[in-house]
Amino acid sequence: MKDLKIPSDLIVQCMHCGMCLPVCPTYNLNFLEKSSPRGRIRLIKEVEDGALPITDDFIDEMYFCLDCQACQTVCPAGVKYGKLVESARIKIFELGFDRQALVKKMIFRIVFASKFVFKMIARFVKLYQKSISKFIRKIKIDRVLPEKLIRVEELAPKISDKFSDEILPEILKPNGEAKYKVGFLTGCFMNVMYSEINIDSVEVLLENMCEVYIPRNQACCGSVMAHYGDIKIAKELAKKNIIEFSKYKLDAIVVNSAGCGAFMKEYGELFKDEKDESLREKAENISEITKDINEFLYEIGFKKPNAELDLKVTYHDACHLAHTQKITSQPREIIKSIPGVKFVELNESTWCCGSAGIYNILRYEDSMKILDRKIKNILETNAEIVLTANPGCHAQIEYGLKKAGVNMKVMHPISLLNIAYKMMKNLDKDLVESYNEILRNRD
Amino acid sequence: MDAKVIRRLEEIVGKEKVLTSIENRIAYSYDATPALAGLPDAIVIPETPEHVSQILKLANEEKFIVVPRGSGTGLSGGSVPSSNSIVLLMNRWRKILEIDKENLTALVEPGVITAQLHQEVEKYGLFYPPDPGSMTISTIGGNVAENAGGLRGLKYGVTKNYVLGLEVVLPTGEIINIGGKNVKDVAGYNLKDVLIGSEGTLGVFTKILLKLIPKPQSSRTLLAFFNSIKEAGKTVADIIASHITPATLEFLDNTTIRCVEDYARLGLPTNAGALLLIEVDGHPAQVEEESEKIEKICVKNGATDYKIAKSENEALKLKTARRSAFAALARVKPTTILEDATVPRSFVPEMVEKIQEIANKHQIIIGNFGHAGDGNLHPTALTDERDKEEMKKVEMAFEEIFDYAIKLGGTITGEHGVGLAKKKFLEKQFAEPAIEFMRNIKRVLDPNGILNTGKIFELKPRCEGRLPSSREQIEKYANLWT
């Protein structure tokens, strides 16, 4: 990275009106200006002007931010705050100021960068969850293990028995004439922890007459790395995906993780200065055709289910869906289209849950305070299921509910839609069973 | 600032409540006013009125300036720190202490957010009308200190009309209570009105007793579009003349409409020359009758389109968009200098025209919107503070705008306060004895000049007097000596 200068146009756009303060989760934790978007932009400005060196406190502030971008939604002046804080993180990372850089680099470049390694680790975690965990607790070794490690263990949701990319073939054809040709991103977490959501998504796409392409060599989308400032590896992975997905002539690339979808929509921007013209064009094209699954289904006029589901549900807006991609009504429309489902609006539904990539591991205490507020709001809805369309939020809310000792199910809206489709045909035993289980829990 | 002073501040409020890091100082060096900043030496977070009192006493002893601050949304530089100062951070005082449903009052701490107070009292069918543009984050303490206005000012008045009582820490550290729940109360001087709008220079509010009124039974939000500002202005005049007092009567010019549309995507016609946002409230029958009358007046004055908000949600969206108009204007150019020149309302059309003329003359962009019903205009220059030459032009244009407003019997600020931003214009509006009256009050209450000194006016030594500003005056002085 030769030029790490943050464009001053982006910075001066902020007129420090303060409208961003009430929606900022971190400002609302400590009520300190430096922990607000307005304050952070000012600090970035001083760093860019050379009036403030990159201090520990500056670095801490940049990573204290969850990058939820709620401030961007309310900003009347249209400040691109996400871009600013991400640029600042790139600067911190590239210049070697970040003390955790080595650990992060290791996670990003070894774990996420290779699907093989990622899945290996997932398999180990699976083994651990199945047997070693109990053993460790039995011999009480957990008391001497580092606290952070214990938390990672607790925060990690159960690894799926089979990973979705190992079940799903490269090309799937719908039952009848295909209307759309779509690519599908299996993702990292979705693939190993929520592989059933991926399978639900593909089934729903097939039900909606889509021919689904799942490139074998697709990589992690790169969003987690980019958000933490490791732009180099993020770009490498993005490039890989651009090439893989460009092999087919697709109408859309459908993504069911809010964070991944948001980042893939930025691929064009990421490669805007790329010298290789064909790569640049491909990147732009990928950005253009990338759709969140809720957005895509809504746009094509998805098939309305006609089986009735007697459920009370609520919906949590994932930050990267609501604030970054501005998708809020589509998932609600999909949920409300299911007959019998009673939809209760969640108070502060667009308030971050505190997951934010690996924030909940790196900044556990802050993350938990933010989560508590979310869980309190969720419990007030008295819903049976909380729906959300991002694996990070999914895991975080599951953890919060477990901590609160509440037996409420977390689900992707598309999984619920798939249940409704299945009930229509009364086919899939597992899904029908999961619905019945919710009904049984009522008593 | 001396390390010893910092230590003594830490003794008062606790070590972790005194912030001195450069990052914190930078973060409190500004408020919402463009192009103004100053670094404080420390930020102090008091928790009780006694803390505030002790801090002010220490300031008198050690001679440093105390700058009170809520959320920092002010638009006159009122909470921008001066040199040798500390910021007194009041934004954590967020308790609503009492809502008295029988006497219709609310007792609150100064850091309560205006919009939150609205929500709380409305749960009881009560109403706190002042609604400044920044109400989702501005604090009641700041509203009282600046005597903030808002969109509902036309019918319901401004903050001062709702303050019944105050607990104040005086600049010298004494804690006093004035006012109370009595609707009528004439015991002693009317000190409340001296403190309200004193811009943090005469006292720090620690408790505020507010008057509430019953929530209007119903309301309706209307939108009317015009080809020109002139037609919109005429409509405003006609509505007022027909003895209808809408709760809100706002106008936006074309530049503002386009920016607001770009932000809020409400489907406003971006080619309209002007629009009026009107809200009538009260008894349903009255609302019905008044909105019909208003529609007729709009049509008569050439409204190209006329709409009634279909739902409460839609009305809310429209009003929210209007509230964000000033920041939305920042989409055109990075720096928006928002002023609040105000004229008696019959002069609104004339003033609006003049502002446009001045903008054209100086070749700068001035978006215009405002509370047309109460004469409070917000000419907003769209510029870039990095462009020094253009900033100079903006400055000259505003000088002319204020001059013209004063000529029409108006004021240099309708709701933002004088602060640092408009200090130099105050002398244009008031004769010297009036300003000296203000200075005298400040001198008596704050003999060491520690509380937000440097705002509103300069505290010159008493003997200096006003310097001559024209050749005529100089000659007059010269003649005295010969």
Side-chain angles (χ1 to χ4, degrees):
Chain A
M1 299 301 292
K2 41 203 179 327
D3 188 16
L4 290 170
K5 211 157 168 43
I6 302 171
S8 90
D9 275 351
L10 280 184
I11 301 173
V12 295
Q13 191 74 26
C14 171
M15 44 166 338
H16 36 98
C17 68
M19 296 288 198
C20 52
L21 273 64
V23 300
C24 174
T26 54
Y27 174 76
N28 281 274
L29 283 183
N30 63 14
F31 293 121
L32 287 181
E33 184 77 21
K34 72 180 170 106
S35 304
S36 75
R38 177 172 72 168
R40 291 192 182 108
I41 292 173
R42 188 54 164 238
L43 292 177
I44 292 171
K45 179 175 185 284
E46 301 292 320
V47 165
E48 282 305 304
D49 291 350
L52 175 73
I54 297 181
T55 58
D56 284 350
D57 203 12
F58 177 77
I59 297 168
D60 188 62
E61 233 8 286
M62 292 306 127
Y63 286 109
F64 182 25
C65 168
L66 298 138
D67 198 11
C68 72
Q69 301 176 9
C71 50
Q72 248 174 247
T73 300
V74 295
C75 179
V79 175
K80 295 188 174 67
Y81 172 82
K83 250 253 124 82
L84 277 172
V85 81
E86 283 159 25
S87 305
R89 287 174 180 181
I90 291 171
K91 195 166 185 145
I92 292 167
F93 205 86
E94 295 283 334
L95 293 177
F97 279 95
D98 184 4
R99 285 218 196 105
Q100 291 177 327
L102 208 68
V103 183
K104 285 179 194 163
K105 240 181 213 171
M106 222 174 72
I107 300 177
F108 299 149
R109 299 191 179 182
I110 301 175
V111 183
F112 280 89
S114 150
K115 237 180 178 164
F116 177 73
V117 176
F118 193 83
K119 289 201 292 194
M120 274 261 293
I121 290 176
R123 278 198 187 95
F124 173 74
V125 176
K126 174 90 205 159
L127 180 74
Y128 174 87
Q129 285 175 340
K130 265 196 164 159
S131 44
I132 305 175
S133 169
K134 276 180 211 135
F135 177 69
I136 284 180
R137 298 229 185 282
K138 212 169 170 185
I139 61 168
K140 299 197 169 120
I141 243 185
D142 57 321
R143 290 189 192 162
V144 295
L145 285 176
E147 208 181 336
K148 263 199 178 156
L149 208 69
I150 299 287
R151 270 181 215 145
V152 175
E153 185 216 329
E154 287 175 356
L155 278 165
K158 260 187 75 177
I159 304 286
S160 304
D161 288 332
K162 267 197 169 154
F163 305 152
S164 68
D165 67 338
E166 286 165 4
I167 304 168
L168 297 163
E170 187 183 350
I171 304 169
L172 290 108
K173 288 185 189 294
N175 194 4
E177 201 194 328
K179 282 199 230 155
Y180 310 94
K181 206 172 150 183
V182 304
F184 183 75
L185 180 89
T186 48
C188 307
F189 288 109
M190 278 295 191
N191 187 38
V192 304
M193 288 168 184
Y194 298 112
S195 70
E196 71 283 0
I197 296 179
N198 273 351
I199 293 161
D200 286 339
S201 302
V202 171
E203 285 177 351
V204 164
L205 288 170
L206 291 172
E207 195 69 34
N208 282 279
M209 306 320 277
C210 295
E211 196 172 342
V212 186
Y213 289 77
I214 307 169
R216 294 287 90 179
N217 294 323
Q218 59 173 288
C220 157
C221 70
S223 66
V224 177
M225 300 76 173
H227 291 157
Y228 278 89
D230 195 348
I231 199 73
K232 210 173 134 211
I233 186 74
K235 264 183 113 165
E236 265 172 41
L237 293 167
K239 190 173 162 185
K240 218 168 169 182
N241 275 331
I242 291 165
I243 293 167
E244 285 305 316
F245 278 98
S246 296
K247 282 181 183 161
Y248 319 90
K249 238 186 113 42
L250 301 168
D251 298 317
I253 296 170
V254 178
V255 183
N256 61 6
S257 305
C260 307
F263 192 61
M264 287 182 76
K265 287 179 178 179
E266 282 174 29
Y267 278 3
E269 171 79 16
L270 198 62
F271 286 91
K272 74 171 190 303
D273 297 325
E274 173 64 44
K275 281 182 211 82
D276 178 352
E277 200 183 321
S278 115
L279 178 63
R280 199 177 62 226
E281 275 172 17
K282 279 179 188 158
E284 267 165 36
N285 180 51
I286 297 287
S287 284
E288 250 165 60
I289 62 170
T290 296
K291 303 270 176 193
D292 178 74
I293 190 160
N294 294 286
E295 178 188 19
F296 176 74
L297 289 173
Y298 185 75
E299 273 177 19
I300 63 165
F302 68 101
K303 181 173 157 188
K304 307 278 179 300
N306 59 14
E308 207 155 298
L309 292 184
D310 174 23
L311 291 170
K312 190 172 176 187
V313 306
T314 190
Y315 175 72
H316 157 73
D317 284 279
C319 296
H320 278 84
L321 208 52
H323 301 305
T324 318
Q325 299 187 58
K326 311 283 175 219
I327 294 170
T328 52
S329 63
Q330 298 92 324
R332 286 176 171 78
E333 292 296 330
I334 289 173
I335 297 162
K336 286 178 190 167
S337 77
I338 304 168
V341 165
K342 192 159 172 270
F343 179 73
V344 196
E345 194 54 71
L346 176 65
N347 186 26
E348 299 181 327
S349 69
T350 57
W351 192 270
C352 182
C353 67
S355 162
I358 50 173
Y359 189 96
N360 53 358
I361 296 168
L362 297 174
R363 300 190 74 115
Y364 180 79
E365 306 291 334
D366 296 321
S367 160
M368 285 307 120
K369 280 184 216 152
I370 296 168
L371 175 61
D372 288 346
R373 181 164 173 165
K374 182 55 66 183
I375 296 297
K376 186 178 154 273
N377 278 321
I378 289 175
L379 295 182
E380 275 167 13
T381 62
N382 272 322
E384 290 161 292
I385 306 176
V386 49
L387 299 159
T388 192
N390 189 52
C393 312
H394 195 128
Q396 175 89 342
I397 293 172
E398 254 174 7
Y399 176 71
L401 289 170
K402 197 170 88 188
K403 233 177 35 154
V406 183
N407 193 10
M408 195 189 284
K409 208 172 162 65
V410 186
M411 250 189 193
H412 195 290
I414 299 307
S415 296
L416 190 71
L417 180 65
N418 202 30
I419 290 184
Y421 284 158
K422 298 281 178 186
M423 295 291 274
M424 252 159 84
K425 296 197 228 154
N426 219 346
L427 270 179
D428 192 306
K429 266 196 256 145
D430 286 350
L431 274 168
V432 177
E433 182 46 35
S434 83
Y435 169 66
N436 286 332
E437 187 198 315
I438 295 162
L439 293 188
R440 273 199 302 276
N441 278 340
R442 264 180 202 176
D443 325 308
Chain B
M1 190 167 278
D2 219 318
K4 185 190 84 194
V5 179
I6 300 288
R7 260 203 316 278
R8 289 192 63 189
L9 285 166
E10 286 173 352
E11 276 164 26
I12 296 171
V13 292
K15 209 169 162 52
E16 69 287 358
K17 298 282 156 61
V18 180
L19 315 173
T20 52
S21 74
I22 182 68
E23 295 81 5
N24 272 311
R25 290 167 60 209
I26 288 171
Y28 289 102
S29 65
Y30 55 82
D31 61 10
T33 323
L36 283 180
L39 268 189
D41 290 331
I43 296 91
V44 183
I45 308 171
E47 279 175 336
T48 62
E50 287 69 31
H51 282 168
V52 177
S53 162
Q54 286 174 44
I55 292 163
L56 291 177
K57 280 180 181 157
L58 181 67
N60 277 289
E61 225 174 278
E62 299 287 346
K63 308 282 185 297
F64 57 85
I65 289 181
V66 177
V67 183
R69 180 184 168 112
S71 294
T73 58
L75 284 162
S76 58
S79 51
V80 171
S82 9
S83 63
N84 187 33
S85 72
I86 62 157
V87 164
L88 189 73
L89 194 58
M90 303 295 286
N91 69 341
R92 296 186 190 190
W93 295 46
R94 297 188 158 222
K95 283 202 261 325
I96 296 175
L97 301 166
E98 181 201 58
I99 294 174
D100 183 340
K101 282 156 283 197
E102 282 167 12
N103 287 305
L104 306 191
T105 61
L107 182 67
V108 304
E109 289 188 337
V112 167
I113 303 295
T114 317
Q116 276 170 0
L117 178 69
H118 288 163
Q119 277 173 17
E120 279 312 305
V121 302
E122 282 172 32
K123 281 182 193 162
Y124 302 100
L126 296 170
F127 196 48
Y128 175 70
D131 60 340
S134 54
M135 67 178 200
T136 55
I137 186 64
S138 69
T139 60
I140 294 290
N143 290 175
V144 177
E146 300 291 328
N147 190 9
L151 269 65
R152 300 195 278 238
L154 169 60
K155 181 170 179 178
Y156 294 105
V158 297
T159 305
K160 72 171 175 200
N161 302 106
Y162 295 88
V163 179
L164 284 174
L166 294 166
E167 181 185 85
V168 194
V169 186
L170 295 178
T172 38
E174 296 84 2
I175 304 171
I176 63 161
N177 270 285
I178 51 174
K181 288 183 181 177
N182 303 297
V183 175
K184 294 179 177 176
D185 184 355
V186 290
Y189 287 155
N190 185 7
L191 297 178
K192 239 170 31 196
D193 264 10
V194 174
L195 290 165
I196 300 166
S198 64
E199 307 191 18
T201 65
L202 297 181
V204 179
F205 310 128
T206 46
K207 280 190 192 78
I208 298 160
L209 183 69
L210 296 165
K211 178 172 93 172
L212 305 173
I213 59 173
K215 191 170 186 279
Q217 284 176 23
S218 69
S219 67
R220 191 174 287 178
T221 303
L222 322 158
L223 260 192
F225 301 95
F226 299 87
N227 282 325
S228 71
I229 293 183
K230 212 171 181 166
E231 289 164 345
K234 180 78 175 51
T235 309
V236 172
D238 287 356
I239 292 171
I240 303 286
S242 73
H243 294 187
I244 296 173
T245 308
T248 295
L249 183 41
E250 300 285 309
F251 94 95
L252 275 71
D253 74 353
N254 176 266
T255 312
T256 319
I257 294 172
R258 279 186 285 139
C259 293
V260 167
E261 179 57 26
D262 190 33
Y263 159 59
R265 311 239 174 244
L266 297 162
L268 303 176
T270 46
N271 57 353
L275 78 77
L276 290 179
L277 173 74
I278 311 159
E279 187 182 56
V280 283
D281 66 4
H283 188 274
Q286 180 200 349
V287 166
E288 182 77 37
E289 190 191 315
E290 287 186 347
S291 52
E292 270 169 28
K293 264 196 200 163
I294 289 171
E295 182 174 0
K296 278 191 194 125
I297 295 172
C298 289
V299 171
K300 194 192 85 195
N301 283 302
T304 51
D305 198 5
Y306 180 85
K307 269 199 267 196
I308 294 173
K310 283 181 218 77
S311 61
E312 204 164 308
N313 203 16
E314 194 184 322
L316 194 71
K317 263 193 194 156
L318 286 170
K319 283 182 276 180
T320 309
R322 157 58 190 89
R323 280 199 183 93
S324 53
F326 103 93
L329 283 164
R331 284 167 185 254
V332 182
K333 283 195 152 196
T335 311
T336 54
I337 303 189
L338 170 81
E339 283 303 349
D340 64 335
T342 300
V343 291
R345 50 201 181 189
S346 64
F347 291 124
V348 165
E350 187 179 339
M351 191 66 215
V352 169
E353 221 167 296
K354 189 72 188 178
I355 290 167
Q356 218 39 64
E357 192 189 308
I358 292 169
N360 293 342
K361 186 177 122 192
H362 292 280
Q363 289 176 311
I364 51 170
I365 313 172
I366 296 189
N368 214 336
F369 62 96
H371 319 286
D374 53 30
N376 184 185
L377 301 175
H378 288 306
T380 303
L382 311 183
T383 176
D384 185 336
E385 60 181 294
R386 293 168 295 183
D387 183 345
K388 297 287 170 243
E389 210 168 296
E390 193 172 84
M391 287 292 278
K392 196 93 207 141
K393 284 195 215 164
V394 169
E395 211 173 297
M396 286 192 309
F398 274 121
E399 191 135 7
E400 284 179 38
I401 290 171
F402 290 131
D403 283 343
Y404 202 77
I406 292 167
K407 201 179 125 198
L408 294 175
T411 168
I412 56 169
T413 171
E415 56 184 2
H416 296 166
V418 178
L420 278 178
K422 276 186 281 197
K423 237 161 84 168
K424 64 174 179 182
F425 298 119
L426 190 72
E427 297 191 352
K428 286 174 183 269
Q429 193 175 327
F430 290 102
E432 176 56 20
I435 297 179
E436 192 55 26
F437 185 14
M438 296 184 210
R439 284 200 197 104
N440 282 337
I441 292 174
K442 170 74 174 165
R443 284 190 192 110
V444 169
L445 288 175
D446 186 5
N448 292 312
I450 59 106
L451 196 56
N452 214 8
T453 304
K455 310 291 161 66
I456 312 178
F457 41 67
E458 283 305 332
L459 265 181
K460 290 176 209 155
R462 224 173 292 230
C463 55
E464 191 182 306
R466 195 175 183 177
L467 289 172
S469 59
S470 66
R471 175 155 290 281
E472 206 180 303
Q473 280 175 348
I474 295 171
E475 277 164 7
K476 209 171 99 192
Y477 280 111
N479 290 338
L480 278 177
W481 295 105
T482 50

